[in-house]
Amino acid sequence: MTGLPNRALLLDRLTQTLARAEREQQPSAVLFLDLDRFKAINDSLGHAVGDELLRQAAERLRTAIRKEDTVARIGGDEFVILMAEIGDAENAAGIASKVLAALRVPFVIEEHELSVSASCGIAISPADGTEAPVLLQRADTALYQCKADGGGGYRLFDRDIDRRAHARLQLEQGLRRAIELGEFLLHYQAQIDLASGTVTGAEALVRWQHPEGRLVPPGEFIPLAENMGYIGAIGEWVLREACTEALRWPPALRVSVNVSARQLTQLDFTATAREILEETGLPPGRLEIEITESALMSDPARAIATLEEMQELGIQIAMDDFGTGYSSLGQLKRLPLQRLKIDKSFVQDVPEDPNEVVIVEAILGLARQLKRSVVAEGVETESQLAFLRERGCDEAQGYLIAKPVPAAEFRALLSGSTMPLLK
Ligand code: C2E
Ligand code: MG
Ligand code: MG
């Protein structure tokens, strides 16, 4: 249709060009181009207009390059320009902007004037590869990166980005296997009552026991699990495991489980929780779920409805990382919450930093008015602890009191053999 070479012919020419370039020790460049929003034009104005746009775009590309260069069409709206003896990457980038500028001039097709932009990924041989398919693939990767950043420009292939993309892919595959094989475990971090110094319960914190030996922290895989749609499976396992473990503790102790926004709004979380409580026999009042302010953002009505169902079941609810997100104080009053957890970023600088002191005091005052109890997170020093106790904070959690530890270690700690419980 455009009269341009296709992918097969392109690969053929690319192979020849690379062979010659190697002999003559001259860098070559591959520019991978893609029209932005072509599909929208095709869908709204019809295929005839779409085809004509591609023909005109092809013509502009042909005139923008040197005679000895090749332009090929290798997919719907994907074009590749192959340039030998490019000099250096800067030259290639210069040509890319020239080509992109040529495409930005509005196209006139039938009665339409169409403004189209394009994105371009660039790979240079020999730096980015010396084999045709590899080079093409890397230009494509650069294009993908360019699009991910909003498109409309060009981008040179970057090995670091490629490495990161590769690492992420490996993490994804690993996570898939971790779910199948159950490679997760929970650590428990004690929470204490500040007035009496006794343990009130523990927060369950998930870890991934990677087969290569590393204990992967949740920050590295929970967001990925959410994106991949795995958070439901992981969350259900965490809940069941935590409830089962809590039954081995003295009956006054509570277990807190983190629940992410996705879990709360997208899955039938209440049904799962009810089922797990029945199955394990844990009294609902001993279970607390920790939600974050962000959990209420995407679909507040749904999230609040779920929280109310949880409350009816008798489950306790805590607001985690309080103060770091979007806190609607009006909403806070209506939420069925028992506890606020002051984020460790505020606790960290008390009592030295007067600003943080004011924030912590304000949260404590607010909680008192709303009749919510307060847990301070991330308590690491005696002076922080003393400050919090003096200001009437109810509970505390942090490295000073206990680090998150495996289940058996937490039980040992409860039996008093390893931790001098703070008075
Ligand atoms: P979070 O709920 O705010 O948990 C507290 C984090 O602070 C934990 O990190 C804990 O190890 C750490 N921490 C505790 N005491 C101290 C301290 O004194 N100083 C400092 N600097 N840090 C302290 P971790 O275990 O890496 O967990 C990170 C986050 O991952 C959690 O933040 C929570 O949002 C999420 N997460 C953990 N487990 C789960 C889970 O089962 N499900 C979901 N959805 N999220 C989880
Ligand atoms: Mg938490
Ligand atoms: Mg927190």
Side-chain angles (χ1 to χ4, degrees), residues 189 203 206-207 218 238 258 320-321 344 377-378 380 398-399 404:
Q189 186 176 32
E203 177 174 5
V206 71
R207 277 95 182 84
V238 168
N258 293 281
D320 205 353
D321 306 342
K344 50 181 173 289
E377 288 188 282
E380 294 182 354
Y399 294 167

Side-chain angles (χ1 to χ4, degrees), residues 22-165:
E22 203 180 337
R23 278 196 310 275
E24 292 165 12
Q25 304 222 319
Q26 277 281 355
S28 339
V30 170
L31 274 56
F32 206 125
L33 289 137
D34 178 299
L35 303 183
D36 300 327
R37 289 177 295 278
F38 174 73
K39 195 180 171 311
I41 293 173
N42 214 26
D43 290 349
S44 60
L45 301 178
H47 293 275
V49 173
D51 286 355
E52 180 56 23
L53 175 62
L54 291 174
R55 262 190 292 271
Q56 291 192 18
E59 194 46 42
R60 288 190 191 178
L61 293 178
R62 225 187 325 246
T63 44
I65 60 171
R66 299 174 302 189
K67 227 179 25 269
E68 56 275 28
D69 297 335
T70 300
V71 52
R73 173 167 174 244
I74 65 166
D77 61 337
E78 293 178 336
F79 298 91
V80 169
I81 297 173
L82 165 61
M83 296 183 298
E85 297 179 22
I86 189 64
D88 57 18
E90 221 167 287
N91 272 338
I95 295 176
S97 24
K98 197 175 111 190
V99 168
L100 292 175
L103 291 173
R104 268 196 300 271
V105 177
F107 291 88
V108 180
I109 298 166
E110 294 170 10
E111 71 280 16
H112 308 287
E113 192 181 291
L114 300 174
S115 289
V116 178
S117 67
S119 305
C120 174
I122 307 170
I124 311 275
S125 176
D128 299 332
T130 50
E131 278 156 49
V134 173
L135 210 54
L136 203 57
Q137 152 75 59
R138 296 198 155 166
D140 190 15
T141 301
L143 171 66
Y144 177 82
Q145 282 301 328
C146 179
K147 291 235 160 194
D149 290 344
Y154 66 83
R155 183 147 183 162
L156 290 154
F157 174 75
D158 179 335
R159 259 170 209 276
D160 284 347
I161 288 173
D162 194 50
R163 217 171 284 136
R164 280 200 293 276

